[in-house]
mmCIF file of all heavy atoms in Angstrom:
data_model
loop_
_atom_site.group_PDB
_atom_site.id
_atom_site.type_symbol
_atom_site.label_atom_id
_atom_site.label_comp_id
_atom_site.label_asym_id
_atom_site.label_seq_id
_atom_site.Cartn_x
_atom_site.Cartn_y
_atom_site.Cartn_z
ATOM 1 N N LEU D 159 -6.786 -21.132 16.949
ATOM 2 C CA LEU D 159 -7.116 -21.513 18.335
ATOM 3 C C LEU D 159 -5.957 -22.380 18.897
ATOM 4 O O LEU D 159 -5.345 -22.973 18.175
ATOM 5 C CB LEU D 159 -8.420 -22.313 18.304
ATOM 6 C CG LEU D 159 -9.628 -21.567 17.622
ATOM 7 C CD1 LEU D 159 -10.835 -22.530 17.554
ATOM 8 C CD2 LEU D 159 -10.053 -20.416 18.489
ATOM 9 N N PRO D 160 -5.711 -22.240 20.177
ATOM 10 C CA PRO D 160 -4.696 -23.078 20.790
ATOM 11 C C PRO D 160 -5.084 -24.533 20.449
ATOM 12 O O PRO D 160 -6.224 -24.899 20.602
ATOM 13 C CB PRO D 160 -4.855 -22.849 22.318
ATOM 14 C CG PRO D 160 -5.421 -21.443 22.400
ATOM 15 C CD PRO D 160 -6.361 -21.352 21.139
ATOM 16 N N GLY D 161 -4.113 -25.275 19.971
ATOM 17 C CA GLY D 161 -4.325 -26.692 19.647
ATOM 18 C C GLY D 161 -4.564 -26.913 18.159
ATOM 19 O O GLY D 161 -4.566 -28.060 17.710
ATOM 20 N N ASP D 162 -4.942 -25.859 17.400
ATOM 21 C CA ASP D 162 -5.066 -25.967 15.964
ATOM 22 C C ASP D 162 -3.836 -26.595 15.418
ATOM 23 O O ASP D 162 -2.694 -26.261 15.899
ATOM 24 C CB ASP D 162 -5.326 -24.652 15.322
ATOM 25 C CG ASP D 162 -6.776 -24.193 15.343
ATOM 26 O OD1 ASP D 162 -7.686 -25.102 15.686
ATOM 27 O OD2 ASP D 162 -7.135 -23.028 15.214
ATOM 28 N N TYR D 163 -3.898 -27.241 14.301
ATOM 29 C CA TYR D 163 -2.655 -27.573 13.596
ATOM 30 C C TYR D 163 -2.277 -26.361 12.712
ATOM 31 O O TYR D 163 -3.137 -25.606 12.245
ATOM 32 C CB TYR D 163 -2.863 -28.791 12.625
ATOM 33 C CG TYR D 163 -2.785 -30.031 13.307
ATOM 34 C CD1 TYR D 163 -3.833 -30.855 13.341
ATOM 35 C CD2 TYR D 163 -1.552 -30.472 13.914
ATOM 36 C CE1 TYR D 163 -3.734 -32.115 14.053
ATOM 37 C CE2 TYR D 163 -1.505 -31.684 14.565
ATOM 38 C CZ TYR D 163 -2.618 -32.501 14.588
ATOM 39 O OH TYR D 163 -2.485 -33.695 15.226
ATOM 40 N N VAL D 164 -0.980 -26.126 12.651
ATOM 41 C CA VAL D 164 -0.438 -25.088 11.698
ATOM 42 C C VAL D 164 0.538 -25.852 10.779
ATOM 43 O O VAL D 164 1.238 -26.705 11.140
ATOM 44 C CB VAL D 164 0.358 -24.028 12.489
ATOM 45 C CG1 VAL D 164 1.010 -23.070 11.525
ATOM 46 C CG2 VAL D 164 -0.654 -23.200 13.304
ATOM 47 N N LEU D 165 0.328 -25.439 9.496
ATOM 48 C CA LEU D 165 1.141 -26.090 8.441
ATOM 49 C C LEU D 165 1.758 -24.948 7.605
ATOM 50 O O LEU D 165 1.066 -23.987 7.279
ATOM 51 C CB LEU D 165 0.162 -26.928 7.527
ATOM 52 C CG LEU D 165 0.806 -27.633 6.300
ATOM 53 C CD1 LEU D 165 1.775 -28.710 6.614
ATOM 54 C CD2 LEU D 165 -0.337 -28.176 5.428
ATOM 55 N N ALA D 166 3.030 -25.043 7.282
ATOM 56 C CA ALA D 166 3.666 -23.942 6.484
ATOM 57 C C ALA D 166 4.768 -24.425 5.683
ATOM 58 O O ALA D 166 5.612 -25.336 6.068
ATOM 59 C CB ALA D 166 4.290 -22.914 7.577
ATOM 60 N N ASP D 167 4.865 -23.815 4.479
ATOM 61 C CA ASP D 167 5.904 -24.197 3.552
ATOM 62 C C ASP D 167 6.235 -22.987 2.670
ATOM 63 O O ASP D 167 5.899 -21.830 3.020
ATOM 64 C CB ASP D 167 5.613 -25.444 2.700
ATOM 65 C CG ASP D 167 4.379 -25.349 1.902
ATOM 66 O OD1 ASP D 167 3.941 -24.141 1.627
ATOM 67 O OD2 ASP D 167 3.772 -26.344 1.390
ATOM 68 N N SER D 168 6.842 -23.150 1.495
ATOM 69 C CA SER D 168 7.295 -22.098 0.704
ATOM 70 C C SER D 168 6.085 -21.223 0.111
ATOM 71 O O SER D 168 6.242 -20.097 -0.261
ATOM 72 C CB SER D 168 8.185 -22.519 -0.452
ATOM 73 O OG SER D 168 9.436 -23.017 -0.027
ATOM 74 N N ASP D 169 4.958 -21.981 -0.004
ATOM 75 C CA ASP D 169 3.804 -21.244 -0.554
ATOM 76 C C ASP D 169 3.068 -20.368 0.419
ATOM 77 O O ASP D 169 2.617 -19.341 0.133
ATOM 78 C CB ASP D 169 2.787 -22.290 -1.158
ATOM 79 C CG ASP D 169 3.179 -22.815 -2.502
ATOM 80 O OD1 ASP D 169 4.208 -22.348 -3.071
ATOM 81 O OD2 ASP D 169 2.496 -23.711 -2.997
ATOM 82 N N ALA D 170 2.991 -20.860 1.644
ATOM 83 C CA ALA D 170 2.212 -20.136 2.710
ATOM 84 C C ALA D 170 2.287 -20.813 4.089
ATOM 85 O O ALA D 170 2.788 -21.896 4.220
ATOM 86 C CB ALA D 170 0.717 -20.127 2.238
ATOM 87 N N ALA D 171 1.796 -20.074 5.086
ATOM 88 C CA ALA D 171 1.461 -20.587 6.376
ATOM 89 C C ALA D 171 -0.036 -20.655 6.538
ATOM 90 O O ALA D 171 -0.696 -19.711 6.139
ATOM 91 C CB ALA D 171 2.161 -19.793 7.480
ATOM 92 N N MET D 172 -0.511 -21.712 7.120
ATOM 93 C CA MET D 172 -1.997 -21.890 7.232
ATOM 94 C C MET D 172 -2.383 -22.649 8.468
ATOM 95 O O MET D 172 -1.541 -23.249 9.121
ATOM 96 C CB MET D 172 -2.581 -22.542 5.971
ATOM 97 C CG MET D 172 -2.037 -23.976 5.769
ATOM 98 S SD MET D 172 -2.758 -24.799 4.327
ATOM 99 C CE MET D 172 -4.441 -24.895 4.794
ATOM 100 N N VAL D 173 -3.710 -22.572 8.762
ATOM 101 C CA VAL D 173 -4.196 -23.283 9.931
ATOM 102 C C VAL D 173 -4.959 -24.553 9.401
ATOM 103 O O VAL D 173 -5.536 -24.471 8.341
ATOM 104 C CB VAL D 173 -5.120 -22.401 10.744
ATOM 105 C CG1 VAL D 173 -6.384 -22.182 10.117
ATOM 106 C CG2 VAL D 173 -5.297 -22.923 12.139
ATOM 107 N N VAL D 174 -4.949 -25.581 10.183
ATOM 108 C CA VAL D 174 -5.617 -26.872 9.824
ATOM 109 C C VAL D 174 -6.512 -27.198 10.997
ATOM 110 O O VAL D 174 -5.876 -27.609 12.067
ATOM 111 C CB VAL D 174 -4.677 -27.964 9.443
ATOM 112 C CG1 VAL D 174 -5.537 -29.246 9.228
ATOM 113 C CG2 VAL D 174 -3.873 -27.616 8.238
#
Side-chain angles (χ1 to χ4, degrees):
Chain D
L159 304 174
D162 279 343
Y163 280 116
V164 171
L165 176 68
D167 60 18
S168 294
D169 281 356
M172 64 180 292
V173 74
V174 175

